[in-house]
Amino acid sequence: MRIIRTRDYKQMSRDAANIISAQVILKPNSVLGLATGSSPIGAYEQLIRWYQKGDLNFSRVRTVNLDEYVGLGFDNHESYKRFMYDNLFSQINIDPANINIPNGCTSDPEEECRRYDGVLRTLGGIDLQLLGLGVNGHIGFNEPADIFAKGTHVVHLSESTIEANKRFFAKAEDVPRSAVTMGIFDIIQADRVLMVASGAGKAQAVKDAFFGPITPRVPASILQFHKDFTLVADEEALSLV
Ligand code: F6R
């Protein structure tokens, strides 16, 4: 495990974008595992700037997103599909055929999980997985549980996640109660894992996940085992360690 300590969110975002862009330069057809939420937005903005300057080319990059709310589709601004187009995909030269996001608008979420695991298999694995960290230690939407979930599955969101995510919705009742997420096994199979964490609100989760025991009660703690895991976190997120 490698920890890169940054001054603030801006520097965290720049460092993370540097790592992602190195991946794309070294392997132009990389499979990038991508996350939504506020943590990666700054990194996406930086990648867009470098693309606009002509320094990055995403034409052969393939992507897989971690998760999607059940019931939300592209026409809903809070869907993760919409988030990805608004914050990254619509502003770079990625081929839409190379974008993979779980379909939240399916009548059969279990079948969608099987389909998505098939997509992951067909891609042949993830080269670099970008992650944020939930305040309860979740990664993707793998919530604290008794076991580490393996493949893509349907989750019922915990109260703390609904509370944390309600800021994106008009009111807490609008936050979907379930989601489709890649599993822990899918995530840790990635060749490299990069997590971004910022702000005092993440300090306890960072401490529990990376300076405590490895347990499914803190899903991110499994990353302590990963052979190439980098945490880029700002001073506030590292304030308890
Ligand atoms: C998003 C995701 C989540 C977030 C986490 C942190 O695709 O999988 O695990 O990374 O909830 O969210 P933010 O960055 O908004 O604090």
Side-chain angles (χ1 to χ4, degrees):
M1 182 168 87
R2 206 181 283 118
I3 298 183
I4 299 177
R5 188 188 192 95
T6 69
R7 233 177 3 259
D8 52 19
Y9 180 87
K10 196 170 167 203
Q11 196 198 341
M12 174 199 81
S13 301
R14 212 177 153 84
D15 285 1
N18 261 306
I19 294 169
I20 298 166
S21 66
Q23 174 70 43
V24 172
I25 290 166
L26 287 170
K27 186 178 176 194
N29 65 343
S30 286
V31 177
L32 300 181
L34 298 178
T36 59
S38 17
S39 307
I41 288 180
Y44 293 154
E45 286 171 353
Q46 185 62 65
L47 292 174
I48 292 166
R49 280 195 287 276
W50 284 330
Y51 163 70
Q52 287 169 343
K53 279 176 68 189
D55 291 342
L56 277 177
N57 177 7
F58 292 90
S59 61
R60 294 172 59 206
V61 165
R62 294 154 303 153
T63 65
V64 272
N65 260 82
L66 282 167
D67 42 19
E68 179 61 283
Y69 289 116
V70 169
L72 300 195
F74 186 74
D75 51 353
N76 190 310
H77 279 274
E78 314 314 335
S79 77
Y80 284 172
K81 184 170 188 182
R82 186 61 171 268
F83 174 101
M84 288 308 303
Y85 275 83
D86 288 351
N87 290 288
L88 183 65
F89 295 151
S90 65
Q91 296 166 78
I92 58 174
N93 66 332
I94 192 158
D95 180 347
N98 288 339
I99 294 171
N100 298 283
I101 304 177
N103 177 10
C105 277
T106 165
S107 56
D108 188 348
E110 300 293 345
E111 173 54 29
E112 175 58 11
C113 294
R114 287 189 287 277
R115 183 194 72 82
Y116 208 66
D117 271 338
V119 168
L120 292 173
R121 272 195 303 277
T122 308
L123 286 170
I126 297 169
D127 291 299
L128 174 65
Q129 175 66 56
L130 175 63
L131 297 174
L133 176 65
V135 286
N136 61 2
H138 75 209
I139 46 177
F141 270 134
N142 292 277
E143 299 283 40
D146 294 334
I147 52 158
F148 289 111
K150 291 193 182 67
T152 307
H153 59 290
V154 178
V155 279
H156 298 285
L157 302 186
S158 69
E159 280 310 315
S160 79
T161 296
I162 292 168
E163 182 62 27
N165 288 8
K166 73 175 187 202
R167 67 190 193 279
F168 298 112
F169 293 81
K171 48 189 189 310
E173 296 80 73
D174 294 346
V175 184
R177 269 28 192 180
S178 55
V180 169
T181 183
M182 270 165 52
I184 294 286
F185 189 64
D186 297 326
I187 293 170
I188 62 167
Q189 290 230 90
D191 282 347
R192 303 168 71 199
V193 179
L194 169 64
M195 175 180 280
V196 279
S198 159
K202 297 293 170 72
Q204 189 64 47
V206 166
K207 183 177 179 201
D208 293 345
F210 307 119
F211 296 86
I214 294 167
T215 161
R217 305 305 321 168
V218 186
S221 64
I222 192 103
L223 295 165
Q224 293 183 40
F225 276 141
H226 197 277
K227 64 181 184 338
D228 190 342
F229 169 58
T230 304
L231 168 68
V232 185
D234 65 11
E235 280 171 10
E236 286 189 354
L238 291 171
S239 58
L240 294 181
V241 297

